[in-house]
Amino acid sequence: MFRYLAAAAAALLAAPAVARVEPFPASFHTQMVQTNGTSLHVRVGGQGPAVVLLHGFGDTGDMWAPLAAVLVKEHTVIVPDLRGMGLSAHPDTGYTKKSQATDIAGVMDALKVQKAALVTHDIGNMVGYALAVQYPARITRWAVIDAPLPGIGDWDNIVRSPMLWHFNFRGPDEERLVQGRERIYLDRFWNELSADPKRIDEETRQHYAGLYARPHAIHDAFEQFGAFNQDAIDNKALLAKSGKITMPVLAIGAEKSFGTAQADDLRFVASNVTGAIVPNSGHWIMEENPQATIKLVTEFLVK
């Protein structure tokens, strides 16, 4: 454990003032995993208790590289790109978060991982809840970061926020408007949902804009949002059927985004919730304040 915490401290000291997209350590390998009728691009490294890291919109699994570099010292670290995102395949269907939870369970099966801790952000939170509630014996603890769950808590008011107009921005005409202009579209998210847009540098913006400009990528990102109505129905049904999940949950809100509301939201679906805040950050926690995010997550995982 000392080596693990020392690595975390070193990462915090070495982390740049402005986060850039970092490569995963050389000890990681990538593979395409066949699961639930699709193929996911998955990064895997390390040995020890498993940790699965799930990204959200505007990022891919690449966002987790600084955290993975710390966790790999003591853990088997598994970092998929969600279906239709990053370098994963682009199926026409399956974008409900309940279905994508089955994707991730299939990745764990393929890697012969029976149990794992879970760290999630944004849409990854939604997949994470569906995974934890459907497979509670397989998730040991869950760090959930800065995004609501469809149908849960204050969802009906959250979706009315003018900042979230993109939830209903989809369809063939919308895709034509964004095609070839993915960078313009994504800049809106990085600029308006961050505490300081300068924390998301040009290299980072170019990296993700290129991935979201791949064939079908924006269409599939819109499908993630388009599934929210069904996700809300599914989440209410899963909660009614299974009750609150009982594994330890660390609900992390960004100071300039969800803040303490993150923990409030998770208490509707989980009985063992601790709240935390990433200071001086908007929604893009790994780009805006990776040091604080890494510290919160690593301390939670060693408890």
Side-chain angles (χ1 to χ4, degrees):
M1 183 180 295
F2 175 79
R3 180 162 61 97
Y4 175 71
L5 293 175
L12 299 184
L13 292 173
V18 177
R20 290 174 170 81
V21 177
E22 298 180 14
F24 277 72
S27 59
F28 276 76
H29 70 274
T30 62
Q31 64 189 87
M32 293 298 290
V33 176
Q34 304 296 315
T35 175
N36 193 26
T38 191
S39 300
L40 298 192
H41 177 258
V42 182
R43 309 152 189 81
V44 184
Q47 295 181 339
V51 182
V52 176
L53 311 179
L54 300 181
H55 69 92
F57 175 75
D59 287 303
T60 69
D62 291 341
M63 68 174 282
W64 296 119
L67 175 61
V70 174
L71 295 180
V72 76
K73 304 295 183 180
E74 299 288 343
H75 291 275
T76 298
V77 184
I78 302 165
V79 190
D81 288 340
L82 296 177
R83 130 179 339 230
M85 303 177 86
L87 298 180
S88 289
H90 294 270
D92 292 333
T93 60
Y95 291 93
T96 67
K97 310 314 171 287
K98 186 176 178 181
S99 172
Q100 291 186 78
T102 303
D103 293 353
I104 305 305
V107 168
M108 293 171 65
D109 290 341
L111 299 176
K112 302 187 184 326
V113 171
Q114 181 56 36
K115 294 184 178 183
L118 188 59
V119 181
T120 65
H121 178 245
D122 191 78
I123 286 173
N125 293 358
M126 304 173 189
V127 179
Y129 172 64
L131 180 65
V133 72
Q134 291 182 99
Y135 304 93
R138 303 192 68 175
I139 304 303
T140 58
R141 54 184 48 228
W142 179 23
V144 52
I145 308 173
D146 208 66
L149 301 177
I152 300 300
D154 200 33
W155 176 257
D156 289 343
N157 288 322
I158 289 171
V159 296
R160 295 189 180 98
S161 168
M163 292 289 287
L164 301 179
W165 57 263
H166 57 277
F167 283 3
N168 290 308
F169 183 78
R170 58 185 184 275
D173 292 330
E174 287 77 5
E175 289 177 35
R176 288 169 56 213
L177 287 169
V178 175
Q179 185 177 6
R181 304 175 183 89
E182 292 84 4
R183 170 62 187 272
I184 296 171
Y185 183 65
L186 291 166
D187 273 340
R188 176 262 160 179
F189 294 90
W190 297 322
N191 292 342
E192 294 187 16
L193 303 183
S194 61
D196 180 359
K198 291 190 285 295
R199 298 286 293 177
I200 306 166
D201 72 354
E202 180 64 20
E203 178 185 340
T204 300
R205 292 167 186 256
Q206 289 185 13
H207 176 80
Y208 289 118
L211 288 167
Y212 279 85
R214 289 166 61 87
H216 304 294
I218 280 291
H219 170 80
D220 294 339
F222 289 163
E223 290 294 289
Q224 297 279 0
F225 300 133
F228 282 179
N229 286 342
Q230 184 60 49
D231 295 336
I233 294 169
D234 291 342
N235 286 346
K236 290 176 181 178
L238 288 167
L239 179 60
K241 176 183 177 181
S242 302
K244 294 185 178 184
I245 56 176
T246 59
M247 74 281 292
V249 172
L250 179 65
I252 303 173
E255 181 184 10
K256 306 298 184 180
S257 185
F258 274 84
T260 58
Q262 188 66 50
D264 294 339
D265 201 47
L266 266 292
R267 290 189 177 101
F268 285 97
V269 298
S271 61
N272 185 5
V273 177
T274 301
I277 299 293
V278 178
N280 303 314
S281 180
H283 179 65
W284 309 102
I285 43 89
M286 286 302 297
E287 289 81 14
E288 297 186 69
N289 196 343
Q291 301 95 330
T293 307
I294 291 169
K295 184 175 187 294
L296 288 169
V297 170
T298 54
E299 288 179 350
F300 175 66
L301 293 179
V302 298
K303 287 181 180 178

